[in-house]
Amino acid sequence: MTGQVRTVDGRVAGRRGQATRQKLLDCLSDMLSSSPYRDVKVIDVARKAGTSPATFYQYFPDVEGAVLEIAEEMAKEGAQLTDLVAGRSWVGKSGWQAAEELVDGFLSFWRKNDAILRVIDLGAAEGDKRFYKIRMKILNAVTNSLTESIQELQGRNKVDKEVNAAAMAGSIVAMLAAVAGHQKGFQSWGVKQAELKPNLALLVHFGITGKKPTK
Amino acid sequence: MTGQVRTVDGRVAGRRGQATRQKLLDCLSDMLSSSPYRDVKVIDVARKAGTSPATFYQYFPDVEGAVLEIAEEMAKEGAQLTDLVAGRSWVGKSGWQAAEELVDGFLSFWRKNDAILRVIDLGAAEGDKRFYKIRMKILNAVTNSLTESIQELQGRNKVDKEVNAAAMAGSIVAMLAAVAGHQKGFQSWGVKQAELKPNLALLVHFGITGKKPTK
DNA sequence: TCGGTAAGCTGACGGCATGACAGGACAAGT
DNA sequence: ACTTGTCCTGTCATGCCGTCAGCTTACCGA
């Protein structure tokens, strides 16, 4: 489907063009990490990439458009998050382990991509459907797996039927995302990474199984 | 201490000045609700307030400065969130009720102020200390109360000593804030408000007491 | 009533980002 | 060398930013 990268005016991008395009994306990514979203200007990105603003506009309609592109790249990489949930057992000791690994994987993924993720979060919260969609794409992998896990446990009468699997899964994922997004905040508040994780894992485990974990 | 409102160039604002200032804040608040943060321009705010950009700069150093002002206002109003936690009993039925009311109060507060809150969240996530500080001010009321509640339960051996009260309280509050910020998202994802609340309350209750609630 | 003083507002300006276009540079094939 | 299509940039009109000098308005004491 998207086999060909195209410029704004419809041309097909070749080798060189794709390289420039990628460079622009990388530089934008850097900028997002180092300065507030509101202050990221096309001209700065272009300068940093050693090119001109006009070139930027050849490949992207605007800054948002480019951000979405980066997000799309990241979403692919984020698909691996599913492995943190799918096919895991949530009973006994392995349940606790699963919870710990989920928390761990989530936090490190977020830490690695925090700049773009927080822009996506903003866009989604502001009601932009494109951002919302991509946010779903990243989180859905985990959310859906979690929802299924809960439903499966409900089927075996291990979890209260009153629990709405989707709402619970969504809440857990939202929590992970939020905490991950404010990791630095927690630290400067006196809570260390190492202390954060087990507590999160505890909440995750309970949310899914409805029980305290056996460690 | 801050009995007098001052303009950027040091003058003391009188009746009329304060009115203009407030009008600008109100208009900015409106703008934030209706258009992306990135696109909010000083000139639009000024126009909407029936004044000129120069006037805006008389009262605020920049858009961020004005946002912080709005946030400060809101923080005062948000102090009442403490009542949702302080002096509550977390055992038995009243514990479940407390959890439900906390969730309810939190969600509605967030819904009422979502536009500013999401800007604050962004600023905090980007590492801006001023935004982080105001975010703390709003959330600390709840977080501290929760931390104390947990510690108190730990003192009575009702909660596992392994639990880090601050980390747990912070996680719970972060979750509430995140879910609150994406309420619309949940809805369009097929999860209804009414279904969301009890599941959140469940997680909150467990996080604080370490137990399933008795309803 | 009448200045005097400080508050309040704005027109205007240099500076910079935006976004569009036309045209020049370049690489590849013939 | 010539053609073709990709790739990049100089340039320009437009619009926002942030500041200043200067004008208007309100208040106050004589």
Side-chain angles (χ1 to χ4, degrees):
Chain A
M1 191 188 99
T2 44
Q4 285 188 324
V5 182
R6 289 186 167 275
T7 57
V8 167
D9 55 337
R11 277 206 300 272
V12 210
R15 242 181 269 278
R16 194 150 72 104
Q18 292 204 25
T20 311
R21 199 185 115 104
Q22 192 56 49
K23 192 165 192 179
L24 284 167
L25 286 179
D26 293 343
C27 291
L28 173 56
S29 211
D30 282 359
M31 296 261 41
L32 287 176
S33 310
S34 61
S35 53
Y37 180 46
R38 205 169 189 283
D39 298 341
V40 170
K41 307 289 178 195
V42 169
I43 198 168
D44 296 323
V45 178
R47 256 200 288 262
K48 197 177 166 100
T51 178
S52 81
T55 305
F56 182 94
Y57 286 107
Q58 192 141 53
Y59 294 105
F60 312 103
D62 50 22
V63 175
E64 281 194 1
V67 168
L68 282 166
E69 214 62 35
I70 298 176
E72 208 75 49
E73 266 180 25
M74 195 196 52
K76 278 176 205 154
E77 187 197 336
Q80 68 191 42
L81 281 175
T82 323
D83 303 342
L84 295 170
V85 187
R88 303 256 170 164
S89 159
W90 291 96
V91 293
K93 282 191 183 177
S94 56
W96 174 245
Q97 204 193 338
E100 276 189 314
E101 284 173 18
L102 172 57
V103 170
D104 218 33
F106 213 97
L107 290 194
S108 63
F109 175 74
W110 222 264
R111 219 175 313 131
K112 202 190 302 174
N113 305 98
D114 63 339
I116 312 110
L117 282 165
R118 107 194 133 216
V119 175
I120 296 175
D121 237 48
L122 175 70
E126 279 175 344
D128 187 311
K129 281 183 187 151
R130 299 170 302 167
F131 282 98
Y132 183 65
K133 217 169 154 186
I134 193 93
R135 186 172 188 271
M136 288 257 294
K137 200 169 175 177
I138 297 166
L139 297 185
N140 256 7
V142 185
T143 314
N144 287 338
S145 295
L146 274 185
T147 307
E148 280 166 28
S149 295
I150 297 172
Q151 281 169 342
E152 192 254 353
L153 287 171
Q154 281 180 322
R156 292 196 282 135
N157 279 322
K158 300 243 180 186
V159 165
D160 219 324
K161 304 264 181 180
E162 287 179 32
V163 171
N164 180 315
M168 184 58 88
S171 300
I172 291 173
V173 171
M175 172 180 70
L176 288 174
V179 174
H182 290 286
Q183 281 178 86
K184 284 174 198 159
F186 272 92
Q187 278 168 38
S188 75
W189 195 56
V191 177
K192 297 208 180 72
Q193 275 278 330
E195 290 168 341
L196 196 53
K197 283 183 194 171
N199 287 284
L200 276 174
L202 202 59
L203 278 171
V204 168
H205 188 277
F206 177 80
I208 296 170
T209 67
K211 289 185 182 59
K212 262 192 188 179
T214 51
K215 297 182 190 180
Chain B
M1 189 187 100
T2 44
Q4 284 188 325
V5 182
R6 289 188 167 275
T7 57
V8 167
D9 56 337
R11 279 206 300 270
V12 209
R15 242 180 267 278
R16 193 150 72 108
Q18 293 205 25
T20 310
R21 199 184 116 104
Q22 193 55 49
K23 192 165 193 179
L24 283 166
L25 286 178
D26 292 344
C27 290
L28 173 56
S29 210
D30 282 0
M31 302 247 52
L32 287 175
S33 310
S34 61
S35 52
Y37 180 46
R38 204 168 190 283
D39 299 340
V40 171
K41 310 287 179 194
V42 170
I43 198 170
D44 296 323
V45 178
R47 257 201 286 262
K48 198 177 163 98
T51 178
S52 80
T55 304
F56 182 95
Y57 287 105
Q58 191 143 53
Y59 295 105
F60 312 103
D62 50 22
V63 175
E64 282 193 1
V67 168
L68 281 166
E69 214 61 35
I70 298 177
E72 209 74 50
E73 265 180 25
M74 196 196 52
K76 278 176 206 156
E77 188 196 335
Q80 67 189 46
L81 282 175
T82 322
D83 303 341
L84 296 169
V85 187
R88 303 256 171 164
S89 158
W90 292 97
V91 292
K93 283 191 183 176
S94 58
W96 174 244
Q97 203 192 339
E100 276 190 312
E101 285 174 16
L102 172 57
V103 170
D104 217 34
F106 213 96
L107 291 194
S108 63
F109 175 74
W110 223 263
R111 219 175 313 132
K112 203 190 299 175
N113 304 99
D114 62 339
I116 311 110
L117 282 166
R118 100 192 140 222
V119 176
I120 296 175
D121 238 48
L122 174 72
E126 278 174 345
D128 187 310
K129 281 182 187 153
R130 299 170 302 167
F131 282 98
Y132 183 65
K133 215 169 156 188
I134 192 92
R135 188 174 187 268
M136 289 258 293
K137 199 169 176 179
I138 298 166
L139 297 185
N140 256 8
V142 184
T143 313
N144 287 338
S145 295
L146 273 184
T147 308
E148 280 167 28
S149 295
I150 297 173
Q151 280 169 343
E152 192 253 354
L153 288 170
Q154 281 179 323
R156 291 196 282 135
N157 279 320
K158 300 245 182 185
V159 165
D160 219 324
K161 302 263 179 182
E162 289 178 31
V163 171
N164 180 315
M168 183 59 90
S171 301
I172 290 173
V173 170
M175 172 180 71
L176 287 174
V179 173
H182 290 285
Q183 283 177 85
K184 284 175 197 159
F186 271 91
Q187 278 168 36
S188 75
W189 195 56
V191 177
K192 297 207 180 72
Q193 274 278 331
E195 289 167 341
L196 197 53
K197 283 182 194 171
N199 288 283
L200 277 174
L202 203 58
L203 278 171
V204 168
H205 188 278
F206 177 81
I208 296 169
T209 66
K211 289 187 181 59
K212 262 193 189 177
T214 50
K215 298 184 189 179

